[in-house]
Amino acid sequence: MSSRQLLPSWKKLAKHADNMKLQHMNDLFATDENRFDKFSIELPNMLLDYSKNLIDSETKQSLIELANECELAAWRNKMFSGEKINKTEDRAVLHTALRGSVDEDLVLDGKNISQQVNDQLEKMANFVEQVRQGRWLGYSGKRITDIVNIGVGGSNLGPQMVTEALKNYSDNCVNVHYVSNVDGAQIAEILRPLEPEKVLFIVSSKTFTTTETMTNAKTAINWLTAASFDEKSVAKHFVAVTANTENAMSFGIKQENIFDMWDWVGGRFSLWSAIGLAIALDLGFDKFKQLLAGANAMDKHFVEAPFEQNMPVIMALLSVWNTTFLGAKSQAILPYDQTLHMLAAYLQQAEMESNGKSVTWDGSEISYPTVPSIWGELGINGQHAFYQYLHQSNNVVPADFIGSVASVTPIKGHHETLMANFFAQTQALMTGVDEQQVREDLQAKGRTADYIDKVAPHKVHKGNRPTNTILLKRIDPYNLGQLIALYEHKIFVQGIILQVCSFDQWGVELGKGLAANIQQELENKKLSANHDCSTKRLMNYYLSAKT
Ligand code: F6P
């Protein structure tokens, strides 16, 4: 049994969960007209309604006690003050410093963090201005029209998600493209319409060793030099963002064209650093700074608000409640705003790579369910695809509904229809419809008794499906920064409560290592005897079908 399970609040919650599983939210709403006031939090540009969860005041109280017994406030201080809370990699976790949320004088391993951040921001600002004003010229003297960001995972998902979300704020000074897949089909398609003399590549890789990124970067260099007939053109068309300057330089990228990243920034939390360069090139540096300011505002809220009114804390505790105590296995992310179409993909990495683990900080096996699997899609598209499952399957999937009050592209009638669905779905998931109601509705429509007997069980919706609703005033750089930081801190809190190391990712290493060996075997057409018969036969089939 893990030490968490011995905490008084944990024991209380486990017992309380047995009782709450017998409750229906309809009754909780019927008996408490203040439910919304009790279970919602409003910030200047954002509202969180979490009243449609299977909770009551006792649940909330016990969850807050759990946060206190897990010493959440002390852990939060450790993170913001640069303590090395990434224990397995012996690193600090300071992505908050990238948006100005640390002491000016924070010194880590003898280096002034704020100074390092400011220097890089200044370097980014200068570079962005040069490119956007047409002063950064390609090998033939022409201005840059297209930016291609090459990176994967945290070096891709954050920047691309934000670029997509803020498209309406771009002045189209440059066109931004993202290459992440090592499948050559992606880079080939992106490069096909582009003119090499006008393209700038950003090779984004914290480690500068990631095979997929290195392979794409080499292809990009070949594509450029095949047109320029000059190795030196690389200097004018390639910049790098990395914590591994040496590797980037040996790749042919000039030192002054390398933007720094640091080991105290995790890849999936790095869009605020120069990893976000493509965002800044697309929007201009002022709007990039608004994104940082929004995240900084959420940092302040996370640090200052009491747990009862603290959005990231409450969202994390609800996830623990729904998953660990009530047994949900997955969680859906359902944005009702086209601009957020990549949010679920982004949050998959953010939450699952952070907390998809099964041993505690001290390495002992965890005996309780930890984080759910995260999946999702734009709400309206989901409604016509998988919402059937959300409403009537025998798996309960808690969901976050995220919408905006004002559309960034208002067209008469559209936003109203969208938001009507947004409100209807969380209500329907909660209230459901019981058999008596189904029968009465069918009778009112004049259906025969036989028909009603046959169809009624299929039309019953049990309801009682938990949802959070997040309403933003609109999707703009500042509010988006707030939203992303909200989820970052939620993930941190989950990690503390569940006792997992949120900032390492050892689980991606095994497959990486095997792939490197297998690639050599395939190239040499000589398979190792160590493979299981399935893998060996698959590889043999591949090799023989190829030749
Ligand atoms: O393989 C997973 C991972 O290490 C992620 O954590 C990271 O975001 C991604 O690969 C890319 O890594 P890098 O920026 O070092 O290329």
Side-chain angles (χ1 to χ4, degrees), residues 294-352:
N296 181 273
M298 183 54 73
D299 293 342
K300 290 207 168 104
H301 166 75
F302 178 49
V303 168
E304 289 164 9
F307 289 169
E308 289 78 0
Q309 285 300 316
N310 196 310
M311 266 195 204
V313 172
I314 291 291
M315 282 183 63
L317 292 173
L318 287 168
S319 172
V320 173
W321 171 246
N322 285 327
T323 310
T324 310
F325 292 96
L326 297 183
K329 300 253 182 298
S330 74
Q331 144 125 57
I333 302 293
L334 305 169
Y336 278 69
D337 194 305
Q338 179 67 29
T339 65
L340 297 179
H341 72 94
M342 278 192 66
L343 186 66
Y346 169 77
L347 290 177
Q348 271 177 340
Q349 188 202 14
E351 185 159 329
M352 292 165 83

Side-chain angles (χ1 to χ4, degrees), residues 152-155 204-208 210 213 267-268 349 353 505 508 512:
V152 72
S155 301
S204 287
S205 177
K206 181 176 169 183
T207 56
F208 229 84
T210 305
T213 299
R268 52 195 174 272
Q349 188 202 14
E353 193 167 84
Q505 54 284 319
V508 299
K512 270 191 203 173

